[in-house]
Amino acid sequence: MKQPQLIQSPSPQPLYEQVRRLLVERLTAGDWGPGELLPSEAALAKVYGVSQGTVRKAVDAMAAERLVVRHQGRGTEVAKHTSERSLFQFWHLYSDNGDRQIPTSDTLKCERRKAPARDAKLLGIGAGEPVVRINRCRYVKNSPVLIEWITVPAERFPGIERYGHELPNTLYALYQTKYQVTIQSAVENLKAVASNARDERYLKLAPGTPLLEIQRIAFDLENRPVELRTSRCSTQHLHYRNVLD
Amino acid sequence: MKQPQLIQSPSPQPLYEQVRRLLVERLTAGDWGPGELLPSEAALAKVYGVSQGTVRKAVDAMAAERLVVRHQGRGTEVAKHTSERSLFQFWHLYSDNGDRQIPTSDTLKCERRKAPARDAKLLGIGAGEPVVRINRCRYVKNSPVLIEWITVPAERFPGIERYGHELPNTLYALYQTKYQVTIQSAVENLKAVASNARDERYLKLAPGTPLLEIQRIAFDLENRPVELRTSRCSTQHLHYRNVLD
DNA sequence: AAGTGGTCTAGACCACAGC
DNA sequence: CTGTGGTCTAGACCACTTT
């Protein structure tokens, strides 16, 4: 029988924070899968021996982090990596006319290899440990807009290289459903760079076109780095939008 | 005598939302200036005829928007545009070595003119209405890193063109202290572009260097657009960092 | 010591979803 | 109708800052 994991009132951490941590742990452990409903606030309050208001504050925090989605009258759902979420949280490229959509993908390469020192360091693994490297070209309305390289540790995604050209468009949904890895946050570094011959061939560009290069590190629920992604993008008809507030 | 502005319980808006709006209004009207303390939660609860918990939720929301800063034991302070805030909220360029600082500025031009149609539309004013246009070159450790053009409506910033070369480095603090305009949020659109002769002269670049162009629209407390800013930035030694979560 | 925000509780009532 | 989250209250106690 699972015990209510003693919680004490006079402690370094507020109660709602302790509850939040316990819930995130259980969520990470897979006690409730993406799309399922958490127990009701009243039930959780009883389990942890705190008031419903305290549970509420814990769940509010998780909702703010988009770990969970509240539905009045229905319950609180564990967040799923739908294409919606990918679009709103992880896709910042807009057409200049305002359109916005997840582009389609062509997988160019997908193979296992040893991690270069730099990638290994960023992923928090040992140099030379196996990673899978994916190269894709992505299209909006059948026009190529960017090429990207993705590196993930093979250990967290066993056999992912076998998907090859069958890799789905929204990788984060695959990570979540097939490998129980939920991408929770990311950091992107942007630079302007000149296109090289390879860019020009795939993106049909004139030599030396300025490109936007986006280097992303994506993190799981426990803030461990799980994916590196470099995208080189023509901004002739697109722009990267960022809201500061 | 100012009346507690009747608040009714069964209404389209939750009470805490009504309180929040009223507080933001008074804040916009200047009832409390940047750096001052709001009345205590208990006092506000009495004024508006609601419980302290409801005021708390309203103020929490304002704190989340960075309109206000809470200090346990001291009170709740109206947010100031310190260089700190400018740095954390509105400055996304990092040195590749990780450093980060507000660059110094040289004002190249600062003059009144009629708003071009495009700028007028973005600023929500009539075409041809007066604006002030500022051109600056900015430096990190005495190296030029970007040139920027800033356009503000003359009506909101009367006489700002007379600052000329005396314009301070952090304009948003000037807007707030001299013109009671608090920049609250902004939207940035980024593109990679090729440098032109002017860029190359000021930034000491080779012809056709790729630059990061950042177009920003900044909004005040009431979400009205009050500043347009275009920055062209060499990303040889800098990058634009964005955190997604 | 007095005043402030921060946490926590218990309980009431409302709005909505699903049976 | 029942169960869920959403709002609101009143009051207790704690932690911190200021006088």
Side-chain angles (χ1 to χ4, degrees), chain A residues 113-133 151 228:
Chain A
R113 56 166 70 182
K114 291 184 190 300
R118 184 174 169 281
D119 291 359
K121 194 172 177 191
L122 290 172
L123 286 170
I125 61 178
E129 284 192 36
V131 294
V132 174
R133 192 161 167 82
T151 304
L228 307 180

Side-chain angles (χ1 to χ4, degrees), chain B residues 6-7 12 17 29 36 40 53 60 85 96-97 102 110 114 123 138 144 203 231:
Chain B
L6 284 232
I7 291 188
E17 184 57 27
E36 284 184 56
S40 74
D60 276 347
R85 189 183 179 195
D96 286 344
N97 61 36
I102 299 239
C110 177
K114 291 185 189 302
L123 286 171
R138 309 194 72 176
L203 303 180
S231 308

Side-chain angles (χ1 to χ4, degrees), chain A residues 215-232:
Chain A
Q215 304 226 27
R216 173 191 292 181
I217 307 176
F219 300 87
D220 69 5
L221 289 179
E222 289 162 306
N223 283 314
R224 290 178 303 193
V226 290
E227 184 206 62
L228 307 180
R229 185 181 290 220
T230 300
S231 308
R232 291 165 71 93

Side-chain angles (χ1 to χ4, degrees), chain A residues 8-224:
Chain A
Q8 34 188 346
S9 181
S11 95
Q13 291 262 344
L15 269 184
Y16 66 84
E17 184 58 27
Q18 298 179 48
V19 173
R20 194 194 125 269
R21 283 181 185 281
L22 290 172
L23 288 175
V24 172
E25 265 177 39
R26 295 186 60 181
L27 208 149
T28 308
D31 282 19
W32 313 287
E36 282 184 57
L37 294 180
L38 297 189
S40 73
E41 295 180 354
L44 290 172
K46 203 163 186 183
V47 170
Y48 293 118
V50 299
S51 78
Q52 181 173 341
T54 299
V55 171
R56 170 155 273 270
K57 201 162 176 183
V59 176
D60 276 348
M62 295 167 68
E65 298 174 88
R66 295 188 197 75
L67 271 177
V68 114
V69 182
R70 287 175 166 294
H71 297 287
Q72 176 169 127
R74 202 152 72 79
T76 300
E77 185 192 347
V78 179
K80 269 185 305 200
H81 256 297
T82 59
S83 57
E84 284 269 304
R85 188 181 178 195
S86 288
L87 192 57
F88 282 107
Q89 191 173 358
F90 294 109
W91 187 258
H92 284 235
L93 292 170
Y94 290 69
S95 290
D96 286 344
N97 61 37
D99 280 13
R100 197 181 175 215
Q101 48 187 294
I102 299 241
T104 57
S105 313
D106 247 10
T107 303
L108 304 176
K109 268 195 196 165
C110 176
E111 53 191 29
R112 206 177 157 98
R113 56 166 70 182
K114 291 184 190 300
R118 184 174 169 281
D119 291 359
K121 194 172 177 191
L122 290 172
L123 286 170
I125 61 178
E129 284 192 36
V131 294
V132 174
R133 192 161 167 82
I134 300 165
N135 182 205
R136 306 198 293 183
C137 185
R138 308 194 72 176
Y139 306 81
V140 171
K141 292 189 184 125
N142 296 317
S143 304
V145 296
L146 66 85
I147 51 179
E148 65 185 3
W149 288 264
I150 295 164
T151 304
V152 294
E155 191 250 338
R156 299 277 315 254
F157 301 93
I160 197 175
E161 70 275 15
R162 285 198 294 274
Y163 280 93
H165 294 272
E166 307 302 320
L167 277 171
N169 208 359
T170 55
L171 280 182
Y172 291 179
L174 177 76
Y175 296 169
Q176 188 178 59
T177 56
K178 300 296 181 190
Y179 299 99
Q180 291 77 49
V181 172
T182 296
I183 301 297
Q184 168 63 11
S185 64
V187 175
E188 294 188 333
N189 288 334
L190 283 69
K191 274 182 180 282
V193 300
S195 63
N196 59 32
R198 189 186 170 92
D199 301 323
E200 288 145 18
R201 188 167 70 248
Y202 281 104
L203 302 179
K204 304 191 201 309
L205 300 173
T209 304
L211 298 182
L212 186 63
E213 182 177 279
I214 307 171
Q215 304 226 27
R216 173 191 292 181
I217 307 176
F219 300 87
D220 69 5
L221 289 179
E222 289 162 306
N223 283 314
R224 290 178 303 193

Side-chain angles (χ1 to χ4, degrees), chain B residues 14-16 51 54 57 72-74:
Chain B
L15 269 183
Y16 66 83
S51 77
T54 299
K57 200 162 176 182
Q72 177 169 135
R74 201 152 71 81

